[in-house]
Amino acid sequence: MICNSSNKAHSRIRPLCVLSVMLLIQAASVSVFAQDKPKAGDLIQGVVTDSVSPLMAVYITELDSASRAVAYAYTDLKGEFSFSLVNPKDRIQFSYYRKEKIVLPIDKAYFEIRMEEDKSLPPVSWEDFAPLDSRELQDIKEIAGWNHLDISINTTDPGIPRTIHTNRGPVIQHEYVDLGLSVKWATCNVGADKPENAGDHYAWGEVEIKDEYTWSNYKFNHLGELSKYNSDDKKTSLDPEDDVAHVKWGGSWRMPTHEEFVELSENCTWTWYKSGNSEFGGVAGFKVTGKKEGYTDRSIFLPVTEYNNKKDFDPIFSSGYYWSSSINKSVVRDANYLTFGFSANIYTNLCYRRFYGYSVRPVCP
């Protein structure tokens, strides 16, 4: 009797226990499900590696339905990144030097991404970024060069192991010329590997090249109105995250202002080189030489570039188009640019629609 009574009591308790466990499991599943569906404003995080080590300076972008970047981040030394989500329906893209881009739906708040190892580059292990002991400094500099890292090495105290410091972001070394002006001018355009190349074309405020440059696919066109750099936000020049010279080259590189283009035009000697010249690979353009004493032996070359990524432009009857970082003060939809043509005239006070694709010549302090 006692045993039977005990069994009945136990049988009554068991369903309650099972129900409690089921509720707990259900609650847990709801919690996990909620985490898998990010909301606007949520923090999206993750880590990017390859088969060897964490990847620093991977460019992470949130892409909207028109493939425009609406948020971005870079991986740090540990390969980690984070950014605030703009739209849960957007996609996330992972871009890294000489590796295939990865594009995924934003269906979770944490991503673990492994990119394929670049077989053409020597393998790099995490030890390559550890404190230095007997390692040769030249080896470290070569490793940094392979991975496009900007480094500084601490050797001030002989009692402390020398360490390598890397700057966050894709800092790439480029040459510049001091013409005796307020800024130093790069020797090449963004996307070019030598002075006479036009390089890539970018819409004003965008950091990626496109097949077409139209108002409809412009990054800051939102339902026919400017979503940024408009009459409401009172901005007069590009923020660093929208400055392609800074995004692509890193460090203190940036696009020149309208005033710096004026300074370049008024304080330098401009010499026109026709197409077919022997000094600049036959490419037409201006050689710009410093006027100030002590700088008259220094110059840069600004080639003709055309616009909107035209690959077949006529090198004889073409012009140069270079964006400044400045918004036009009179027409907010326009930005200032420098232009010149085969007539050898130079214009710095012109402005045009921002969605056009022009070249960019960076400057630094």
Side-chain angles (χ1 to χ4, degrees):
M1 294 289 291
I2 296 175
C3 288
N4 289 339
S5 174
S6 175
N7 288 337
K8 287 180 180 179
H10 186 68
S11 66
R12 286 197 299 271
I13 293 171
R14 185 179 299 167
L16 293 176
C17 293
V18 171
L19 180 60
S20 299
V21 170
M22 289 178 64
L23 288 173
L24 285 172
I25 293 173
Q26 225 174 17
S29 64
V30 169
S31 175
V32 171
F33 182 78
Q35 290 176 359
D36 288 343
K37 296 292 183 181
K39 305 182 297 299
D42 283 357
L43 193 64
I44 304 300
Q45 298 174 296
V47 61
V48 185
T49 64
D50 60 12
S51 59
V52 178
S53 63
L55 291 181
M56 176 187 175
V58 177
Y59 185 41
I60 318 295
T61 47
E62 179 186 344
L63 302 176
D64 66 9
S65 58
S67 294
R68 297 174 296 192
V70 294
Y72 81 101
Y74 292 106
T75 52
D76 59 19
L77 191 60
K78 296 181 181 179
E80 298 174 349
F81 70 90
S82 65
F83 68 90
S84 181
L85 178 62
V86 175
N87 184 353
K89 295 182 180 180
D90 287 347
R91 297 162 295 150
I92 186 170
Q93 176 177 279
F94 301 84
S95 308
Y96 193 59
Y97 175 69
R98 297 175 70 173
K99 296 183 186 292
E100 291 292 329
K101 293 180 180 178
I102 298 175
V103 181
L104 299 170
I106 305 178
D107 54 2
K108 52 192 172 184
Y110 189 84
F111 288 81
E112 292 184 0
I113 302 298
R114 172 165 289 189
M115 290 188 156
E116 292 184 0
E117 182 181 354
D118 193 336
K119 303 298 183 182
S120 65
L121 297 178
V124 181
S125 70
W126 185 247
E127 292 178 355
D128 290 317
F129 303 101
L132 308 180
D133 39 43
S134 59
R135 187 184 303 278
E136 294 294 331
L137 299 187
Q138 186 58 36
D139 292 342
I140 291 296
K141 290 178 179 178
E142 288 179 3
I143 291 168
W146 293 330
N147 289 274
H148 291 259
L149 304 179
D150 181 41
I151 68 168
S152 60
I153 299 173
N154 173 25
T155 58
T156 56
D157 189 340
I160 300 177
R162 293 170 293 182
T163 55
I164 179 172
H165 301 283
T166 59
N167 292 332
R168 184 173 181 173
V171 181
I172 304 173
Q173 298 301 319
H174 293 275
E175 295 181 351
Y176 63 80
V177 175
D178 185 352
L179 298 170
L181 307 176
S182 61
V183 292
K184 301 176 181 66
W185 287 81
T187 58
C188 291
N189 294 342
V190 174
D193 56 0
K194 50 187 175 180
E196 58 266 31
N197 286 358
D200 293 323
H201 295 70
Y202 298 91
W204 189 88
E206 294 188 356
V207 297
E208 298 295 339
I209 60 175
K210 299 186 291 190
D211 293 329
E212 291 185 299
Y213 294 78
T214 65
W215 172 239
S216 61
N217 70 7
Y218 180 53
K219 175 180 178 179
F220 299 116
N221 171 24
H222 180 66
L223 302 178
E225 299 294 332
L226 290 169
S227 60
K228 190 177 181 181
Y229 305 106
N230 50 41
S231 55
D232 294 329
D233 60 30
K234 308 298 183 183
K235 293 180 181 293
T236 58
S237 62
L238 287 170
D239 292 332
E241 63 266 25
D242 302 317
D243 185 322
V244 67
H246 180 71
V247 171
K248 295 296 185 182
W249 287 16
S252 58
W253 289 107
R254 59 173 175 79
M255 292 168 62
T257 64
H258 166 65
E259 291 75 16
E260 287 161 351
F261 269 136
V262 173
E263 179 189 39
L264 184 72
S265 68
E266 294 180 351
N267 294 277
C268 291
T269 300
W270 291 60
T271 306
W272 177 251
Y273 279 72
K274 296 181 180 179
S275 177
N277 70 81
S278 59
E279 186 171 347
F280 296 106
V283 176
F286 271 105
K287 181 178 181 180
V288 184
T289 307
K291 279 184 179 179
K292 291 184 179 180
E293 185 178 351
Y295 298 91
T296 55
D297 60 341
R298 305 179 188 183
S299 62
I300 60 172
F301 181 70
L302 296 176
V304 294
T305 63
E306 273 304 332
Y307 54 90
N308 290 3
N309 271 353
K310 289 184 177 180
K311 303 298 183 185
D312 55 351
F313 65 88
D314 188 331
I316 299 178
F317 298 104
S318 293
S319 301
Y321 299 89
Y322 291 83
W323 277 128
S324 79
S325 63
S326 303
I327 298 171
N328 182 262
K329 295 177 180 178
S330 302
V331 185
V332 72
R333 284 178 176 264
D334 294 356
N336 292 103
Y337 68 101
L338 166 76
T339 186
F340 53 79
F342 60 90
S343 60
N345 292 322
I346 308 161
Y347 302 95
T348 58
N349 290 316
L350 299 180
C351 63
Y352 203 65
R353 298 292 184 260
R354 303 183 199 170
F355 63 82
Y356 258 61
Y358 290 167
S359 295
V360 173
R361 177 61 63 93
V363 296
C364 63

